[in-house]
Amino acid sequence: MPDLEEQHPNAAGGGDFDVVVVGAGFAGMYMLHRLRGLGFSTRVLEAGNGVGGTWYWNRYPGARCDIESMQYSYQFSDELQQEWEWTERYAAQPEILRYANHVAERFDLRRDIEFDSRVRSAVYDDRSGRWTLETDSGRSGRRYSASYCVMATGCLSSPNNPRFPGMEHFEGPTYHTGQWPHEGVDFTGKRVAVIGTGSSAIQSIPIIAEQAAHLFVFQRTPNYAIPAHNAPLDPEYQRDFKARYPEFRARAKQMPTGVAFDYRDVSALEATPEERQEEYEKRWGRGGLAFLGGFKDLLFVKEANDTAAEFVRARIREKVQDPEVAELLCPTNIIGCKRLCVDIGYYETYNRPNVTLIDVSREPVEEITANGVRARGEEVAVDAIVLATGFDAMTGALLKIDIRGRGGLALAEKWNGGPRTYLGLCSAGFPNLFMITGPGSPSVLTNMIPSIEQHVDWIANCLAHLREEGFAEIEPTIEAEDAWVQHVNDVADLSLRSTCSSWYIGANVPGKPRVFMPYIGGFPAYVKKCEEVAAEGYAGFELAGARAAAE
Ligand code: NAP
């Protein structure tokens, strides 16, 4: 039986629309739903063959969300959130993809989505004030014209494929976790190399190790992982949560991360060592990302952070039997500086006789040979290679598209020193172009689905306002954009998170400008700012068109 997502009646190609949305992940789907409700003719262009975005592509073994299921879901429809039954504390990728497909069905979204349509360019015409988008689909590509263009292209959707010397000579298959084959991969009896030890690797390594004859993990930097303590969702808990959904959702909106969890406004440095130990143990026992909510200064004061980091290192040393391997697995950097990972049996996997950890922190992977991976002067023979090397985050998917604004200005050129946006929603020189969870918005530092909903609602309300007021064009002023970029940088500088080589600052992609890309001022402050901007008649934006001309 074919996958659900493959049974779609595809929308027909090309044409003129009020709005073209690029991407049919959670952002693109909800954007379509809102725009339809407002009567805007809308077409969604999606590179994949189904909805779901991240959850469509990331099918690697063990792929699972690190936000609890009851919160990693849409809230725009109470019927939807009441009727959908999650089965586990942290939903696995197949379940989230089923949820995405359910949403597409329930709101009849597929009729306005064109699948297998990768957008290659989006060009603004100064004279007509319209955007033209071209896709790779069909024999010679297809063209779309729209008044407004919304990029719902995702923050972690453009795979980072390091070019190791000799890659083309490898005789076995190479898989990237973010582009996993739909039919799955059976590693039974195979020698496998995994390169990378971020979230994707930490989730997939325990499962690959169970199948493989031998697994070699090439680690450049160890990561902190907190146990998930994943379990089936207790129906009673789910019923109670659903009965109190408004309360949980409202509480989540007041949290910097947009996730309702137990956050304490207490300093780690003011607590006694016993109090700290007790708090960390409690949170380790509960599991998940809330580990860092124990004290308010963990992400701001190095000495406070050290206490949490040392606690986790002690747990790693307890779990891993070989002391040398345990030391290699112990991170020495700031905990939470790179995205914290949530694991199921990750560290314990290194106690298996068929798993070898290879440290490539001092000397990089030298080359890929016909038979395997050469590192530290030795060739490790493998049958398959898994690249768990992450993404060209936040800007990668946008800059893969040739986006040109006023006077043919290329977005890639404007952003060659790092992304510049107003509120992570728009960029000066690119009228009527919106980004959902773009750089300069809280996005990846928050619960993505509620952040997506907030952006989509803001954009939908903005387009409705322009129509009502007789404006045809909206574009941020350069002054407003510069001030926002400055603010994004200023708040980033207050946090320890801006101090390490993470994908948040583009450090994982050679040659990428080093700029802290997401807005770290927290979800509530950000939402307040967006609401004020709208209430003040879109302060910081130039509105133009028929009405502006008449005034
Ligand atoms: P990632 O966190 O960027 O990890 C990539 C790994 O590959 C790192 O260990 C990195 O080492 C290594 N690497 C990259 N280039 C390398 C090279 N040339 N040689 C050797 N090692 C190299 O990517 P990810 O694991 O895919 O996760 C990305 C983000 O996606 C996460 O932070 C999270 O936000 C999201 N995600 C979430 C979940 C979840 O919900 N549970 C699961 C997966 C992903 P360095 O650290 O030294 O750069």
Side-chain angles (χ1 to χ4, degrees):
M1 180 169 154
D3 284 354
L4 222 199
E5 77 253 23
E6 279 155 9
Q7 303 169 4
H8 54 77
N10 218 350
D16 293 353
F17 302 92
D18 293 329
V19 190
V20 168
V21 177
V22 184
F26 283 111
M29 286 201 292
Y30 180 46
M31 191 76 247
L32 169 59
H33 177 67
R34 280 302 316 270
L35 291 171
R36 238 192 223 166
L38 289 166
F40 287 105
S41 64
T42 305
R43 179 55 52 91
V44 180
L45 304 175
E46 165 56 52
N49 185 246
V51 298
T54 286
W55 303 103
Y56 173 87
W57 297 105
N58 283 266
R59 302 175 188 232
Y60 60 84
R64 185 181 290 283
C65 192
D66 57 6
I67 305 279
E68 296 189 19
S69 319
M70 295 308 295
Q71 299 198 57
Y72 191 80
S73 55
Y74 286 122
Q75 57 194 291
F76 70 84
S77 159
D78 191 48
E79 294 80 13
L80 172 66
Q81 70 179 1
Q82 292 298 334
E83 79 199 4
W84 182 262
E85 292 285 312
W86 294 103
T87 64
E88 292 179 273
R89 178 179 180 190
Y90 295 100
Q93 175 272 335
E95 185 167 23
I96 304 176
L97 190 58
R98 274 200 301 281
Y99 173 69
N101 278 293
H102 169 74
V103 173
E105 282 297 302
R106 196 186 192 289
F107 298 97
D108 188 21
L109 298 179
R110 287 198 182 87
R111 67 186 155 90
D112 288 320
I113 305 176
E114 259 175 78
F115 295 98
D116 301 313
S117 299
R118 185 174 286 284
V119 174
R120 58 176 174 225
S121 65
V123 179
Y124 178 74
D125 178 355
D126 293 276
R127 268 185 295 177
S128 66
R130 288 179 72 81
W131 283 91
T132 300
L133 290 93
E134 286 186 359
T135 63
D136 281 343
S137 38
R139 217 171 287 152
S140 52
R142 288 184 181 139
R143 277 174 148 243
Y144 305 77
S145 165
S147 305
Y148 301 98
C149 182
V150 180
M151 293 294 170
T153 40
C155 295
L156 294 158
S157 46
S158 176
N160 173 36
N161 277 305
R163 301 311 305 161
F164 296 106
M167 273 182 102
E168 63 285 3
H169 303 308
F170 183 58
E171 285 172 359
T174 301
Y175 308 100
H176 190 288
T177 49
Q179 283 177 323
W180 204 256
H182 287 204
E183 63 280 13
V185 182
D186 183 4
F187 291 111
T188 308
K190 302 266 193 299
R191 295 161 305 170
V192 183
V194 171
I195 303 181
T197 48
S199 298
S200 304
I202 282 175
Q203 291 185 330
S204 52
I205 282 169
I207 295 173
I208 298 175
E210 279 171 15
Q211 291 178 0
H214 203 99
L215 171 63
F216 300 91
V217 178
F218 292 81
Q219 172 184 274
R220 191 163 68 178
T221 317
N223 255 305
Y224 296 93
I226 308 297
H229 298 311
N230 187 43
L233 262 190
D234 173 16
E236 189 61 38
Y237 171 82
Q238 183 153 197
R239 251 195 314 279
D240 178 57
F241 207 102
K242 285 183 174 177
R244 294 162 57 202
Y245 245 138
E247 183 193 321
F248 286 116
R249 299 294 198 183
R251 203 163 92 226
K253 287 191 176 126
Q254 300 311 313
M255 306 296 291
T257 53
V259 186
F261 64 50
D262 175 20
Y263 170 83
R264 293 166 78 237
D265 198 21
V266 175
S267 156
L269 295 181
E270 284 167 17
T272 64
E274 294 72 31
E275 283 164 352
R276 281 198 298 262
Q277 184 71 14
E278 192 187 327
E279 188 62 27
Y280 294 143
E281 264 170 18
K282 194 172 79 190
R283 283 173 188 262
W284 185 263
R286 280 194 211 140
L289 296 175
F291 180 79
L292 285 177
F295 297 101
K296 65 177 179 185
D297 44 2
L298 294 182
L299 290 171
F300 296 95
V301 182
K302 168 85 171 57
E303 294 71 35
N305 189 280
D306 286 344
T307 65
E310 193 43 47
F311 176 88
V312 177
R313 283 191 288 266
R315 301 288 81 71
I316 296 171
R317 291 182 188 116
E318 280 169 8
K319 284 178 184 235
V320 180
Q321 286 153 6
D322 181 330
E324 271 178 43
V325 176
E327 260 347 276
L328 277 180
L329 288 167
C330 279
T332 51
N333 55 357
I334 306 280
I335 181 169
C337 196
K338 291 186 177 199
R339 166 90 169 200
L340 195 58
C341 304
V342 176
D343 81 290
I344 302 178
Y346 174 64
Y347 295 115
E348 294 84 343
T349 298
Y350 292 92
N351 296 332
R352 296 176 64 105
N354 70 334
V355 177
T356 306
L357 180 64
I358 300 171
D359 173 25
V360 290
S361 62
R362 286 191 203 89
E363 300 162 56
V365 168
E366 288 161 35
E367 64 168 328
I368 307 289
T369 64
N371 299 319
V373 181
R374 176 177 288 280
R376 301 163 62 111
E378 274 180 39
E379 185 187 72
V380 176
V382 293
D383 305 304
I385 298 176
V386 174
L387 296 174
T389 45
F391 301 90
D392 182 354
M394 304 213 68
T395 54
L398 287 165
L399 296 182
K400 257 191 190 168
I401 302 171
D402 184 10
I403 301 177
R404 289 179 187 262
R406 283 194 195 285
L409 173 66
L411 189 68
E413 197 184 314
K414 179 177 170 184
W415 286 9
N416 66 10
R420 300 193 72 81
T421 70
Y422 182 38
L423 302 172
L425 279 161
C426 296
S427 194
F430 298 83
N432 294 354
L433 179 83
F434 296 89
M435 289 160 264
I436 300 179
T437 63
S441 75
S443 60
V444 291
L445 300 176
T446 60
N447 186 358
M448 283 303 281
I449 296 186
S451 274
I452 283 168
E453 287 182 312
Q454 184 260 337
H455 261 195
V456 167
D457 288 338
W458 192 96
I459 295 167
N461 295 341
C462 173
L463 296 190
H465 172 85
L466 296 179
R467 185 174 59 187
E468 268 161 38
E469 298 293 320
F471 292 112
E473 202 163 271
I474 181 163
E475 181 183 348
T477 66
I478 200 78
E479 293 78 19
E481 179 172 292
D482 287 348
W484 183 252
V485 170
Q486 188 60 47
H487 176 61
V488 171
N489 291 335
D490 289 347
V491 287
D493 287 345
L494 299 175
S495 166
L496 293 172
R497 274 187 160 149
S498 60
T499 61
C500 66
S501 299
S502 66
W503 57 257
Y504 294 135
I505 63 163
N508 62 331
V509 178
K512 192 166 173 172
R514 303 255 173 141
V515 174
F516 194 84
M517 294 181 284
Y519 176 60
I520 204 169
F523 188 69
Y526 176 77
V527 171
K528 184 163 174 271
K529 171 74 181 172
C530 289
E531 285 173 357
E532 282 166 8
V533 164
E536 289 163 16
Y538 294 89
F541 286 97
E542 293 273 10
L543 306 188
R547 165 157 163 193
E551 278 174 356

